Amino acid sequence: MVGIILASHGEFAKGILQSGTMIFGEQENVKAITLMPSEGPDDLKAKMKEAIASFDKQDEVLFLVDLWGGTPFNQANSLFEEHKDKWAIVAGLNLPMLIEAYGLRLSNESAHEIAASILTSAKEGIKVKPETLEPVTGVASQASAQQSNAGAPGSFEYVLARIDSRLLHGQVATAWTKAMQPTRIIVVSDDVARDKLRKNLITQAAPPGVKAHVVPVDHMIKLAKDDQHFGGQRAMLLFENPEDVLRAVEGGVPLKTINVGSMAHSLGKVQPNKVLAFNQVDIDTFNKLKKAGLNFDVRKVPNDSKGNMDEILKKAQEELAKLK
């Protein structure tokens, strides 16, 4: 796996490393290197060498630095000179750039190729409100047009169906979108469909080139039965709870696997692990989904190891029994 060095003036590199972990999960072979006021260039270079020496694979290294021409860049560049054929440096470090690099290195062993690919995400992550302040380039509209085949004969291809009480947030908009390559993200929820504020926030949170929609469960059932207008469309469905999933499946939405990512704790629920909380209705609903032939993929982000849903439900049932 390509090693990544995050380098900055001050604590910025450590902060963005923490942000990346919150969104994409813990990462191996990634180090944050900081230049503090009391340190000089040689100190920074020594830190970089030590970090690289700790990587499992040292022949492919990607430096993401804060500022072109600054000390972190200059010291990375001095190391880079002897490894031009394999290593790469990208300046202007931002979070979209880092998340894109994390996603790419899951299937790409070349620092050069990752460096070239993350430039677009880094630039597209820079947006402004009001939108009238944006320069008119047409890039976003072109990307949407390329990925949208609305009106073509055929049905949706369901690339992911996920239960997540937070719905469309950072882990979904970056890690899962990168892994599954949807053309549409569809939040399926009666409650959210009635809430104009939440609905607007979700549609605005869609990553570049992907359309986001919010629909009630019954409407999703109708869309799933339409085989005339959604050919070529790769749909990612997001549900707040398993009950809505069951309604959708019983109504004819052809799902085979449910990714279980997050279920928030509330009064009357037990929490058998860090991110999933259940009441008796939730447990009964998952059992019904299992009887209907659905599989469960218990992961927050794509590179997490999968949890055992049977064991999680068993533990939840035992904890609920103790409350009675």
Side-chain angles (χ1 to χ4, degrees), residues 19-35:
S19 297
T21 300
M22 292 176 65
I23 294 173
F24 212 92
E26 293 287 343
Q27 296 291 306
E28 297 180 352
N29 298 321
V30 179
K31 296 290 184 181
I33 306 299
T34 59
L35 175 66

Side-chain angles (χ1 to χ4, degrees), residues 158-234:
Y158 299 97
V159 297
L160 183 74
R162 176 179 172 90
I163 297 173
D164 191 328
S165 55
R166 294 186 293 166
L167 295 172
L168 181 52
H169 57 93
Q171 291 173 348
V172 175
T174 55
W176 282 108
T177 298
K178 178 63 182 176
M180 309 311 297
Q181 295 290 305
T183 57
R184 295 174 185 262
I185 296 174
I186 307 175
V187 170
V188 185
S189 168
D190 293 353
D191 291 340
V192 180
R194 288 191 292 262
D195 188 328
K196 291 184 179 180
L197 177 59
R198 290 183 71 191
K199 185 175 180 178
N200 288 337
L201 290 174
I202 286 171
T203 56
Q204 292 176 14
V210 182
K211 292 185 177 181
H213 311 269
V214 179
V215 300
V217 178
D218 288 345
H219 188 61
M220 186 65 234
I221 292 171
K222 293 179 181 178
L223 293 176
K225 295 176 180 178
D226 186 337
D227 60 1
Q228 296 300 314
H229 300 99
F230 301 111
Q233 294 296 298
R234 296 167 55 83

Side-chain angles (χ1 to χ4, degrees), residues 280 317 319-324:
Q280 190 61 55
Q317 190 68 73
E319 293 184 9
L320 280 173
K322 294 177 182 178
L323 296 178
K324 295 181 180 179

Side-chain angles (χ1 to χ4, degrees), residues 256-315:
K256 297 179 180 179
T257 300
I258 300 296
N259 169 240
V260 186
S262 171
M263 292 175 58
H265 187 273
S266 61
L267 186 64
K269 290 195 173 189
V270 296
Q271 194 165 351
N273 69 14
K274 292 182 179 180
V275 296
L276 300 179
F278 304 82
N279 57 24
Q280 190 61 55
V281 173
D282 295 328
I283 294 173
D284 293 342
T285 302
F286 276 112
N287 287 329
K288 290 178 182 178
L289 289 168
K290 184 178 179 180
K291 288 182 180 179
L294 272 77
N295 299 311
F296 302 118
D297 174 13
V298 186
R299 287 183 293 170
K300 288 193 301 180
V301 292
N303 60 326
D304 280 349
S305 57
K306 295 182 180 181
N308 187 310
M309 195 62 177
D310 289 335
E311 292 181 0
I312 293 171
L313 291 174
K314 181 181 178 181
K315 185 176 180 181

Side-chain angles (χ1 to χ4, degrees), residues 45-215:
K45 189 172 184 178
K47 290 183 186 179
M48 289 179 174
K49 287 183 176 180
E50 182 180 358
I52 294 168
S54 73
F55 290 163
D56 296 336
K57 186 178 179 181
Q58 299 169 23
D59 59 339
E60 293 283 353
V61 177
L62 174 63
F63 293 87
L64 303 181
V65 303
D66 57 354
L67 184 66
W68 186 274
T71 300
F73 169 83
N74 291 335
Q75 295 310 305
N77 194 39
S78 68
L79 298 173
F80 163 80
E81 287 299 319
E82 297 180 1
H83 304 272
K84 289 181 179 180
D85 58 331
K86 294 285 189 178
W87 292 9
I89 306 173
V90 181
L93 173 60
N94 63 19
L95 191 53
M97 175 196 296
L98 178 59
I99 296 304
E100 182 76 0
Y102 282 171
L104 288 170
R105 72 183 192 141
L106 295 175
S107 58
N108 196 318
E109 296 293 333
S110 167
H112 281 189
E113 292 181 9
I114 294 175
S117 298
I118 63 178
L119 295 179
T120 298
S121 293
K123 294 174 182 177
E124 288 179 345
I126 302 172
K127 297 181 178 294
V128 64
K129 274 188 170 291
E131 289 84 352
T132 52
L133 301 178
E134 289 267 14
V136 180
T137 62
V139 173
S141 60
Q142 289 173 12
S144 296
Q146 290 171 357
Q147 295 198 41
S148 176
N149 295 317
S155 303
F156 283 121
E157 176 187 356
Y158 299 97
V159 297
L160 183 74
R162 176 179 172 90
I163 297 173
D164 191 328
S165 55
R166 294 186 293 166
L167 295 172
L168 181 52
H169 57 93
Q171 291 173 348
V172 175
T174 55
W176 282 108
T177 298
K178 178 63 182 176
M180 309 311 297
Q181 295 290 305
T183 57
R184 295 174 185 262
I185 296 174
I186 307 175
V187 170
V188 185
S189 168
D190 293 353
D191 291 340
V192 180
R194 288 191 292 262
D195 188 328
K196 291 184 179 180
L197 177 59
R198 290 183 71 191
K199 185 175 180 178
N200 288 337
L201 290 174
I202 286 171
T203 56
Q204 292 176 14
V210 182
K211 292 185 177 181
H213 311 269
V214 179
V215 300

